[in-house]
Amino acid sequence: MGKDVIIACDFPTREICLDFLDNFKDRKPYVKIGMELFYATGPDIVREIKARGHSVFLDLKLHDIPNTVKSAMAVLRDLGADMVNLHAAGTISMMREALTGLTRPDGTRPLLVAVTQLTSTSEEIMQQELLIPHSVESVVLKYAENAKEAGLDGVVCSPLESKVLHSALGSDFLTITPGIRFDDGEKGDQARITTPAKAKELGSDYIVVGRPITRASDPVTVYERCVNDFVE
Ligand code: C5P
């Protein structure tokens, strides 16, 4: 499994998304489809982007009772996504059922990764509001251990957590890391950020980059800069 740059295609309509992807002629980037685009367009957007030659990470972060997640995953597996995700907070039992639902009759399945704690949740909020009386680091590690125990392929986490998770859970346990910015770019609402080069150094397996590429005047050049710094 090679390292790759995943573009977060957080667009409100199919047309805007496909116009954006038309910029890329030579290399077909790995695309992340999140809730906004999926709910606005429906499941066909996954098939359409796959048919254009892209790999797809379907970022819908499922979290429900185990049986419901299993049934929903059985629907998602047939859309052709290469990677899907859920919340590790749904428990080991939910994650196991999700894997069952995702597995095709021939035994193949998309990669399944878990969100541990959202990077938008501060330690203070986690402790005071969610009543989880631990450090974010220890909760992220525990949720990642649960994901591994359930048989998942990896987690979505901050690049700053990749190193710890790889040493605890093995280098083949994938870390998919958003929160990527260039030193000379805008942070937006992301707090714990690193550059593509730093994410590579920390051992991220995939970086997820949204606005630095999607809002650039020349998205292809910024994407290529990410690939150069992270993959090559
Ligand atoms: O625009 P930006 O580069 O901040 O996009 C990051 C993408 O990664 C967004 O689609 C966001 O939903 C997603 N994400 C994140 N933090 C997480 C999980 C997902 O930023 N913990």
Side-chain angles (χ1 to χ4, degrees), residues 3 5 37-38 97 103 162 177:
K3 287 182 179 275
V5 175
L37 187 62
F38 190 83
E97 290 297 306
T103 305
S162 289
T177 64

Side-chain angles (χ1 to χ4, degrees), residues 8-10 32 34 57 59 61 85 115-120 156-158 176-181 187-190 208-215:
C9 286
D10 295 319
K32 181 172 88 70
F57 170 22
D59 177 20
K61 300 186 181 74
N85 66 357
V115 175
T116 52
Q117 278 292 324
L118 290 170
T119 42
S120 52
V156 182
C157 63
S158 157
I176 290 78
T177 64
I180 303 296
R181 294 292 182 269
K187 278 171 68 173
D189 57 353
Q190 292 284 15
V208 177
V209 190
R211 288 160 291 179
I213 297 176
T214 56
R215 301 212 181 152

